Amino acid sequence: MAAAQRILIENCAIATVDTQDTEYASGYLVVADNRIESLGAGRAPEGLENVVRRIDGTGHLVTPGLINTHHHFYQWITRGLATDHNLFNWLVALYPTWARIDEPMVRAAAQGSLAMMARGGVTTAMDHHYVFPRGSGDLSGAIIGAARDMGVRFTLARGSMDRSEKDGGLPPDFAVETLEGALTATEETVRQHHDASFDAMTQVAVAPCSPFSVSTELLRQGAELARGLGVRLHTHGSETVEEEKFCHELFGMGPTDYFESTGWLGEDVWMAHCVHMNDSDIDAFARTKTGVAHCPSSNARLAAGIARVPDMLAAGVPVGLGVDGTASNESGELHTELRNALLINRLGAHREAALNARQALRLGTYGGAQVLGRAREIGSLEPGKLADLVLWRLDTLAHASIADPVTALVFGAAAPVTASFVNGRQIVENGRLLTADEDAIARTTREEAQRLARVAGQG
């Protein structure tokens, strides 16, 4: 076997986000092929062989790569619309447009979404895609291909909807699937694309959209399908007070009890938002180890409310961070969610004790790995884990006067990314993508957004 090729990063601050929150004011990290081989304080050991690259990390903080746990890539080409709406009115306004997407649009939107996240320190992304208009092409393949080309580790949450306007739902009839069609297409996507290996770059989850856009049977059979295939489950949950009212009126119970009745609580499940959770809901999530994707910017943009993240963490609920779709978080970045999670949660009942900087960083790294079921492989900097890591530059005007690097990263302005590695491969250098042409992506996304607007206007 060929000897491992090593990359040595030295003279940097390191926040490992391991179980002890180990940090080094000045240390080193050695990458061997696609794994973290060693790290520690001071200088690297002498005599390292096959060092193909040395990086001087002076003025930098090294952290695990950021992990995004909830997104809707297709929304990249409908940004800036319905900007003063709550969730329900926002959906009503945008579904007629979303129902017109096709494969080239989705591919361009995925490229835009992935590029924005990757250049800002995301090394593992996910996309919850649930809009499959008839005749729109291979949308799942387009999304997975975009992630593969970008070099980002990726989970596709293959979504579905079978409750259209005629059934009391919001999407047009031609933009939803039948129960049988959704289950069949989801199973095909898992069998074709899911990789269960330790260093997998692509995984697939089963992800009916939400309680008010899918039938009870789709939820129940979707859970059975996922567990039969050995993959994870994802959906939206408890996002608004209207959703809670809907569940009580239609099912005679709140969202959490409804999810439990359909098999949708468990350590293989994570849900987006979970804003309106009472104590018994949180206890149920903690008891079953059901995960939460916290999306602070989107929750604020749509006036959904403040999720009880401090209470969830205290109870033992796994919590990660999500960008959410960029029609409700136009910046499309996850590193800004570190700061927003901390600040918005301090507006809640726990005030200044809600979250601190290190808890926010943990949400965006190890917490995300837990939620995606990949905490053994990613989410912290430890020997044997996959080499997904970011070098944040903190010696510029924006951060240089903040002594603590983790405080600088979370409380300060968005820090420049000097280098980002996924699976040991560098994908960002000095804030620019190495794996894609950002300017070309910008042109294509603008063109596809304009085409979608024309198509929707004619529809």
Side-chain angles (χ1 to χ4, degrees):
M1 294 179 62
Q5 293 193 327
R6 292 180 171 85
I7 299 171
L8 171 59
I9 305 169
E10 46 193 347
N11 307 319
C12 53
I14 301 175
T16 67
V17 200
D18 64 10
T19 55
Q20 291 80 37
D21 268 332
T22 305
E23 296 181 12
Y24 304 108
S26 180
Y28 70 91
L29 185 146
V30 179
V31 172
D33 293 335
N34 72 335
R35 304 289 179 95
I36 297 170
E37 183 176 67
S38 63
L39 71 166
R43 299 186 61 81
E46 298 292 335
L48 287 173
E49 297 181 350
N50 298 318
V51 176
V52 297
R53 187 176 176 197
R54 292 176 179 267
I55 299 174
D56 182 0
T58 301
H60 289 75
L61 171 68
V62 177
T63 72
L66 300 184
I67 298 172
N68 179 39
T69 62
H70 185 67
H71 209 314
H72 308 295
F73 289 176
Y74 74 90
Q75 293 181 14
W76 186 265
I77 56 175
T78 59
R79 293 193 295 164
L81 305 176
T83 55
D84 303 312
H85 293 50
N86 64 22
L87 175 66
F88 182 82
N89 293 330
W90 175 80
L91 290 171
V92 170
L94 291 175
Y95 260 128
T97 298
W98 294 340
R100 303 292 175 172
I101 59 174
D102 60 22
E103 186 176 337
M105 293 175 189
V106 168
R107 180 182 297 106
Q111 290 171 334
S113 298
L114 287 159
M116 198 67 192
M117 285 188 293
R119 67 197 295 273
V122 168
T123 55
T124 297
M126 71 79 68
D127 182 30
H128 184 193
H129 188 87
Y130 53 84
V131 183
F132 292 90
R134 287 195 283 275
S136 56
D138 182 10
L139 305 189
S140 294
I143 297 163
I144 289 170
R148 181 183 58 244
D149 294 344
M150 199 75 63
V152 173
R153 205 177 299 281
F154 181 60
T155 294
L156 174 68
R158 203 292 180 181
S160 52
M161 297 185 293
D162 67 344
R163 188 192 296 274
S164 66
E165 287 176 320
K166 67 178 174 57
D167 304 310
L170 296 177
D173 294 344
F174 67 85
V176 305
E177 300 171 284
T178 64
L179 170 65
E180 296 77 14
L183 293 170
T184 298
T186 300
E187 180 174 0
E188 289 175 353
T189 303
V190 173
R191 294 193 183 282
Q192 183 176 354
H193 296 290
H194 180 71
D195 181 356
S197 65
F198 184 88
D199 56 358
M201 291 295 291
T202 303
Q203 296 197 331
V204 180
V206 175
C209 181
S210 67
F212 53 83
S213 61
V214 306
S215 65
T216 298
E217 273 307 299
L218 182 51
L219 277 177
R220 184 175 289 116
Q221 292 188 41
E224 294 170 356
L225 174 65
R227 291 182 176 123
L229 294 171
V231 298
R232 297 180 72 76
L233 299 84
H234 181 59
T235 191
H236 295 89
S238 300
E239 186 172 1
T240 64
V241 292
E242 290 82 9
E243 178 187 333
E244 185 170 6
K245 181 180 178 182
F246 172 89
C247 287
H248 276 287
E249 290 178 349
L250 204 62
F251 311 121
M253 63 187 87
T256 299
D257 290 337
Y258 176 60
F259 282 127
E260 188 157 31
S261 75
T262 57
W264 271 80
L265 293 186
E267 61 183 2
D268 55 356
V269 180
W270 85 104
M271 297 189 197
H273 303 297
C274 299
V275 175
H276 297 279
M277 302 265 283
N278 59 33
D279 289 347
S280 64
D281 295 330
I282 293 175
D283 288 344
F285 272 56
R287 168 174 49 83
T288 58
K289 298 301 180 186
T290 303
V292 171
H294 176 45
C295 306
S297 293
S298 176
N299 293 344
R301 158 77 149 83
L302 297 174
I306 302 172
R308 296 174 58 187
V309 171
D311 295 327
M312 294 178 194
L313 294 175
V317 177
V319 182
L321 290 181
V323 171
D324 204 7
T326 48
S328 66
N329 178 4
E330 276 74 5
S331 73
E333 301 168 305
L334 192 69
H335 59 322
T336 56
E337 299 305 292
L338 302 175
R339 186 172 192 262
N340 289 345
L342 185 149
L343 296 181
I344 289 175
N345 278 282
R346 288 189 177 189
L347 295 174
H350 295 275
R351 302 181 65 185
E352 69 277 6
L355 291 176
N356 61 39
R358 282 159 178 81
Q359 288 173 308
L361 178 59
R362 180 171 289 276
L363 290 177
T365 53
Y366 188 80
Q370 285 183 298
V371 163
L372 295 184
R374 305 204 66 177
R376 290 189 312 113
E377 305 107 277
I378 57 176
S380 59
L381 302 178
E382 302 179 70
K385 283 199 165 185
L386 296 170
D388 294 7
L389 55 99
V390 180
L391 281 77
W392 308 92
R393 186 173 180 186
L394 299 177
D395 62 356
T396 69
L397 173 64
H399 304 93
S401 59
I402 304 176
D404 174 54
V406 176
T407 296
L409 178 67
V410 174
F411 277 85
V417 174
T418 293
S420 181
F421 291 84
V422 181
N423 217 42
R425 175 195 182 195
Q426 187 172 356
I427 66 167
V428 175
E429 184 170 23
N430 295 323
R432 297 287 291 186
L433 289 168
L434 297 176
T435 54
D437 184 337
E438 295 178 28
D439 296 330
I441 291 173
R443 288 192 300 271
T444 303
T445 55
R446 182 172 58 250
E447 291 165 359
E448 292 299 333
Q450 292 170 346
R451 185 168 71 87
L452 176 58
R454 289 195 302 270
V455 171
Q458 296 164 1

